[in-house]
Amino acid sequence: MDAVFDNMDLFWSGFLRSLGICLWGMVGSLVLGTFIAACRVSPIPSLRWFGTSWVTLIRNCPLTVVLFFMAFGLPEIGINQSYYVFGVAALVIYTSAFVCEAIRSGINSVSAGQAEAARSIGLTFGQSLSQVVMPQAFRSIVPPLGSVIIAMFKNSAVVGAFGVGRDLWSVYKNLTSAQGYDGLPVITGVAVGYLCITLPAAAILAYTERKVAIAR
Amino acid sequence: MSNVLYDEPGPKARRRAAIGTVVAAAILLGFTGVAVWRLADRGQFDAELWSPLINPSDENFVLVWRLLAQGLQATLTAAVLAISLSLVIGTLLGVSRLMLGKVGRIPVVAVIELFRGLPVIISIFYVYILVRSTGIDISFLPGSDGLWFLVIGLTFYNSVIIAEIVRAGVNSLPRGQSEAALAIGMTRWKSMKNVELPQAFRTMLPALISQLVVVLKDTSLVAVLGLYTELLRRGNLISLNLDNPIQVLFVVGLIFILINYGLSKLAEFVERRLSTRGQSSTVLVKTGDAVA
């Protein structure tokens, strides 16, 4: 285990970098996923088609394929960025499809009568949305959305292995191939690093779920 | 169509929606158009890049597709092995979590939580490092070592997911089921085996099929590590020779999408067939989905 304890600073900076990938991925996929969900429930048919095909195509395609496709494809259409940007972007695009479905199914779980009742007592569209529909939808969105985000934290390891640099995976590569440490303790350290991100996230999710749970 | 967000559109709203459709379609097509034009500018639509994949008279066509088929077969082998192993181990884990007492189940819960939090790609790589540095001999297993790094790694993760699906499935049964079984003199184990599990598996079936989609996608993680030649890795190797990564990735992605779309539809179909009773299975499928 010396390999881990002697290089704690390296692990710490790798951990922070991986955490950064997770946070950028979370913000990005929430924004993009909400936008795609809005497309899928919008009254404009072409936006609905766009949303549906986005979700169908991306949900059934492995993250790795999305990742490779972007890394090879985007430079060809004139978008040149570092692997870090491509990696986070692929993570955001992949996760947005799942975020979209979590939000959409949450909205659909609210019965239409709720909105109708709100409108009939004279609330405007905005009021009925923000005070009647969304608060109810939010409660059923939290559990699946939380799982999606935690799944994304785990998928950030794929982006790391793809070679974004200075994250937990590159700590592994640095210590084993450049400094000749034995692989087993180093990969154990890397695994613990990822667990330090996912387990607290799962605990926060479980707590939030209990808070917003609907009493049945 | 009843929708919570807006009412049935009248003539004015329909006209607005029609205008919106045209505008949105124009913007989307505009983006696509620019991308296609730029790709064409770089010669990505040249016949020589595509013909090994789509032109049967090309000299490489048969070879490329034979290699892709081998890759697909390798992907499916790994996925089926992983899901079968996970099903056995996951059921054991799930049942022991349900049947052991509050104290007895602590180690089981610990294992489940640990492997649930570990990224799949790490567990695959961990198996590889563990085998290599401890010198455990896995050559007695049929197939290549790479296959088993992948299968064991996937099994670690998915058996834990299946354990949770089993637990949710058994918990969703009405309590009367086990009470009745115990009342007619069955032991708790017999009630689990003969009464509760068969019913739980029925509600679990759609979730299990959705989980197969997740496993199929996850097999491609090993391509990043290069330990086993499945479909994506095979595609990358082909494109190294033909120098057409975009085209090969397009085909590989399409194969994945078609298979997984088919499996998702199958899961939906099975779910509809089985959903004579309550909505428990719907909830389960969503959990399975979300773990992707």
Side-chain angles (χ1 to χ4, degrees):
Chain A
M1 279 282 115
D2 285 353
V4 177
F5 293 115
D6 290 353
N7 296 288
M8 217 50 209
D9 51 334
L10 205 55
F11 272 96
W12 179 241
S13 65
F15 174 77
L16 288 182
R17 175 89 159 177
S18 284
L19 194 64
I21 296 176
C22 289
L23 294 181
W24 277 119
M26 186 167 91
V27 172
S29 57
L30 283 179
V31 171
L32 186 60
T34 311
F35 172 71
I36 305 285
C39 285
R40 279 206 78 174
V41 297
S42 95
I44 298 172
S46 67
L47 286 180
R48 280 206 302 272
W49 300 327
F50 166 70
T52 310
S53 35
W54 179 275
V55 169
T56 310
L57 290 180
I58 290 175
R59 206 160 58 144
N60 291 313
C61 193
L63 170 61
T64 40
V65 174
V66 177
L67 201 52
F68 278 116
F69 208 79
M70 288 182 67
F72 285 116
L74 289 186
E76 292 294 327
I77 57 171
I79 303 173
N80 281 300
Q81 289 293 338
S82 65
Y83 273 6
Y84 181 82
V85 176
F86 280 153
V88 174
L91 201 57
V92 164
I93 288 177
Y94 181 75
T95 314
S96 71
F98 297 91
V99 169
C100 164
E101 285 306 271
I103 293 177
R104 190 181 69 103
S105 65
I107 292 175
N108 284 342
S109 74
V110 180
S111 79
Q114 296 287 326
E116 282 165 14
R119 302 286 289 281
S120 68
I121 58 167
L123 298 187
T124 64
F125 175 76
Q127 281 173 330
S128 65
L129 194 64
S130 68
Q131 292 173 30
V132 178
V133 176
M134 282 327 273
Q136 296 185 65
F138 179 69
R139 294 184 141 185
S140 35
I141 289 174
V142 165
L145 191 62
S147 320
V148 166
I149 295 298
I150 291 175
M152 191 217 68
F153 286 180
K154 285 185 278 186
N155 281 333
S156 75
V158 180
V159 176
F162 184 68
V164 299
R166 290 191 285 134
D167 67 311
L168 281 170
W169 266 102
S170 59
V171 170
Y172 171 83
K173 286 208 184 103
N174 184 342
L175 288 182
T176 51
S177 51
Q179 302 194 33
Y181 281 104
D182 186 31
L184 194 56
V186 182
I187 191 70
T188 307
V190 169
V192 170
Y194 279 108
L195 286 174
C196 287
I197 300 178
T198 55
L199 290 182
I204 293 173
L205 171 66
Y207 175 78
T208 319
E209 264 180 46
R210 271 201 305 279
K211 279 279 165 192
V212 302
I214 304 161
R216 287 189 208 276
Chain B
M1 181 184 71
S2 93
N3 190 313
V4 283
L5 292 182
Y6 46 88
D7 297 326
E8 197 59 41
K12 233 168 136 186
R14 273 204 296 272
R15 205 175 317 126
R16 270 207 303 273
I19 296 171
T21 289
V22 173
V23 172
I27 294 173
L28 289 172
L29 284 177
F31 276 121
T32 320
V34 169
V36 168
W37 177 70
R38 286 202 174 169
L39 283 175
D41 207 38
R42 297 284 195 106
Q44 289 298 339
F45 292 107
D46 288 1
E48 61 187 286
L49 292 177
W50 287 95
S51 85
L53 292 162
I54 55 172
N55 179 6
S57 57
D58 191 280
E59 51 178 331
N60 287 324
F61 181 82
V62 176
L63 180 64
V64 163
W65 277 98
R66 191 179 299 146
L67 288 173
L68 282 178
Q70 281 170 9
L72 180 61
Q73 197 196 353
T75 288
L76 293 175
T77 310
V80 169
L81 274 174
I83 204 88
S84 325
L85 279 176
S86 312
L87 191 56
V88 175
I89 299 174
T91 308
L92 289 176
L93 276 176
V95 169
S96 46
R97 180 167 184 178
L98 283 165
M99 296 194 54
L100 295 171
K102 261 208 159 96
V103 181
R105 68 163 176 246
I106 289 176
V108 180
V109 175
V111 166
I112 291 179
E113 288 302 323
L114 182 70
F115 283 115
R116 209 153 66 138
L118 207 60
V120 191
I121 193 165
I122 300 269
S123 66
I124 295 169
F125 199 60
Y126 209 108
V127 173
Y128 163 68
I129 295 291
L130 195 67
V131 167
R132 214 185 50 174
S133 55
T134 55
I136 300 170
D137 189 22
I138 60 162
S139 54
F140 65 92
L141 294 164
S144 68
D145 284 2
L147 170 67
W148 288 97
F149 299 143
L150 176 59
V151 169
I152 298 171
L154 286 175
T155 303
F156 272 140
Y157 180 71
N158 289 286
S159 53
V160 165
I161 301 297
I162 288 179
E164 291 294 276
I165 297 178
V166 169
R167 186 169 74 108
V170 171
N171 279 341
S172 75
L173 294 175
R175 268 183 60 196
Q177 294 291 327
S178 70
E179 284 170 356
L182 296 178
I184 59 169
M186 287 188 174
T187 59
R188 274 195 68 203
W189 167 239
K190 264 201 159 162
S191 145
M192 179 63 78
K193 193 182 70 165
N194 297 337
V195 178
E196 293 167 71
L197 270 187
Q199 297 185 64
F201 274 122
R202 216 178 98 110
T203 38
M204 276 165 52
L205 199 55
L208 284 176
I209 299 174
S210 319
Q211 197 57 28
L212 191 55
V213 173
V214 176
V215 174
L216 257 173
K217 288 196 292 184
D218 282 354
T219 54
S220 70
L221 292 177
V222 83
V224 179
L225 308 169
L227 301 172
Y228 177 59
T229 311
E230 44 63 69
L231 182 57
L232 176 58
R233 170 108 175 118
R234 175 55 76 198
N236 286 345
L237 292 176
I238 291 173
S239 68
L240 277 182
N241 279 313
L242 296 176
D243 197 23
N244 57 351
I246 296 180
Q247 290 74 12
V248 172
L249 278 169
F250 182 80
V251 170
V252 167
L254 208 59
I255 296 175
F256 269 114
I257 290 171
L258 287 178
I259 294 177
N260 288 333
Y261 184 71
L263 281 173
S264 321
K265 285 284 150 202
L266 178 68
E268 274 172 36
F269 171 76
V270 172
E271 193 191 335
R272 265 204 309 279
R273 284 295 297 272
L274 295 180
S275 68
T276 46
R277 204 185 35 203
Q279 288 203 322
S280 47
S281 52
T282 325
V283 177
L284 283 173
V285 172
K286 290 205 177 103
T287 359
D289 242 19
V291 205

